[in-house]
Amino acid sequence: MAPSADELQRNMFYNENWSVAMEFTFLGVLVQEITVGIAEPGYPDSYAIRVGMLEVNQTYGTFYDYNFFESKVRRLYERFLRFSKVLCLPGVLYDLITKELSADQFVWDTAMERSPWIRIYVNKANPAWDDLSTIFTNPVDFPVRFQDANVHAPENAVHDTAEVISLSPNSDTNSE
């Protein structure tokens, strides 16, 4: 029997040196740095990484150095980019309440043929998605298909039907 998305995520994201709790502590610090205005959304700067490093090392009695945490940030950014791609797949819906993905099996099968790593997200969202999207973007810069009809995308989210503006040399850029 093939491993579930939960098992794949546990094996892919965490190990004996990095637990779910450590990750959420580190992400919490990075989000807090953005929330209070010390850091800007985007790729975290060295100050924010060092503050997170100190918090994790102090909380969990570890002695990981800056390079270890910089490596974690790179891996988290890769997860952010990959999950963003999954959210943009046609037919994939993201439930904001349950934090789960859903799609027809045909969609998953087709996507996994092209990108086998998608298997880790079959009907299972990235557990740190809320924090990752706060840290690495602002606002949401990709189309998201929400499953709950009562929940709407943020006002500043880009939608599939966004207007296309031509910047060709023949376009009228001097008009008011």
Side-chain angles (χ1 to χ4, degrees):
M1 178 176 210
S4 70
D6 282 333
E7 292 171 282
L8 289 170
Q9 285 185 7
R10 263 193 309 278
N11 293 335
M12 195 88 148
F13 303 154
Y14 312 108
N15 57 36
E16 65 278 351
N17 296 323
W18 191 249
S19 68
V20 174
M22 292 170 121
E23 180 172 281
F24 279 99
T25 299
F26 183 60
L27 290 172
V29 169
L30 297 179
V31 167
Q32 181 69 20
E33 293 290 303
I34 291 169
T35 304
V36 298
I38 295 172
E40 293 291 322
Y43 199 85
D45 62 14
S46 62
Y47 177 80
I49 294 170
R50 287 185 191 284
V51 172
M53 174 185 78
L54 292 172
E55 181 67 26
V56 169
N57 282 337
Q58 183 178 24
T59 302
Y60 298 97
T62 56
F63 299 97
Y64 300 134
D65 64 4
Y66 179 83
N67 292 333
F68 176 87
F69 283 92
E70 171 55 30
S71 171
K72 286 297 171 195
V73 170
R74 282 193 307 271
R75 301 270 324 239
L76 291 166
Y77 185 63
E78 289 171 14
R79 275 174 50 191
F80 165 78
L81 292 175
R82 286 186 169 193
F83 191 68
S84 298
K85 290 178 182 179
V86 172
L87 288 175
C88 292
L89 290 171
V92 172
L93 298 172
Y94 179 56
D95 188 318
L96 291 169
I97 309 234
T98 64
K99 307 294 187 208
E100 293 179 355
L101 295 173
S102 62
D104 292 335
Q105 191 60 43
F106 172 78
V107 172
W108 291 125
D109 291 342
T110 304
M112 286 186 294
E113 281 178 22
R114 299 190 77 204
S115 302
W117 59 265
I118 287 177
R119 176 180 305 283
I120 66 175
Y121 294 119
V122 172
N123 298 322
K124 180 71 177 169
N126 187 320
W129 177 246
D130 293 340
D131 290 341
L132 294 176
S133 62
T134 299
I135 294 164
F136 294 114
T137 64
N138 188 31
V140 175
D141 62 355
F142 49 87
V144 179
R145 292 156 192 89
F146 294 94
Q147 185 169 352
D148 186 345
N150 296 322
V151 178
H152 302 286
E155 290 178 18
N156 52 4
V158 175
H159 301 280
D160 289 336
T161 58
E163 181 182 356
V164 177
I165 301 172
S166 173
L167 296 177
S168 66
N170 299 334
S171 66
D172 185 15
T173 57
N174 295 327
S175 63
E176 294 186 37

